[in-house]
Amino acid sequence: MASTTKKSLLIAAISDATTIAGLLLTGMGERNHKDQTNFMAVDSVTTKEEIEQKLKQLLDRDDIGIILISQNVAERVREVIVSNSERIFPTILEIPSKEKPYEPESDTIV
């Protein structure tokens, strides 16, 4: 009899430090065998290139099911999000940040 194993998928997050800290307190943080984390705290000195690199890394991982990204951060890497909008996994969800409320009209996925 063949056994089937269901694979668990992780939630990843790219957001401000306060949001990331809250998510890490829930236990969502993970560091894999390649020393890659499933989260990134973004601040005013974080470059667009650093955010794009982390987002692409998360998109390439096969153990990520959902990527939460603050809408103000998503605006900085909108072209990467749009170019991956047809993918089912991982799903990119834009969330509000403490600096800016969520604006549905700005969310390209909605």
Side-chain angles (χ1 to χ4, degrees):
M1 181 190 252
S3 81
T4 57
T5 304
K6 290 187 178 181
K7 183 176 175 181
S8 296
L9 297 177
L10 300 171
I11 296 175
I14 301 175
S15 189
D16 59 88
T18 304
T19 301
I20 294 298
L23 291 169
L24 292 177
L25 286 171
T26 70
M28 63 86 45
E30 186 262 353
R31 183 178 306 272
N32 66 14
H33 65 281
K34 295 180 183 176
D35 206 31
Q36 298 170 324
T37 60
N38 63 333
F39 58 90
M40 177 185 191
V42 175
D43 58 22
S44 60
V45 296
T46 307
T47 66
K48 175 183 175 180
E49 291 75 24
E50 291 171 317
I51 300 167
E52 283 181 353
Q53 179 182 12
K54 184 63 174 186
L55 180 56
K56 288 176 182 176
Q57 178 193 85
L58 293 171
L59 287 165
D60 288 341
R61 288 178 53 176
D62 64 355
D63 62 340
I64 303 290
I66 298 172
I67 299 173
L68 303 176
I69 185 167
S70 293
Q71 194 171 50
N72 61 330
V73 176
E75 289 171 2
R76 296 174 64 185
V77 292
R78 182 67 61 203
E79 56 279 348
V80 176
I81 293 171
V82 170
S83 68
N84 286 280
S85 63
E86 297 297 319
R87 294 176 66 161
I88 296 174
F89 290 105
T91 301
I92 301 173
L93 298 175
E94 294 184 25
I95 60 173
S97 68
K98 69 177 191 176
E99 294 92 19
K100 186 178 174 194
Y102 177 75
E103 297 174 1
E105 61 276 356
S106 299
D107 190 336
T108 55
I109 303 302
V110 174

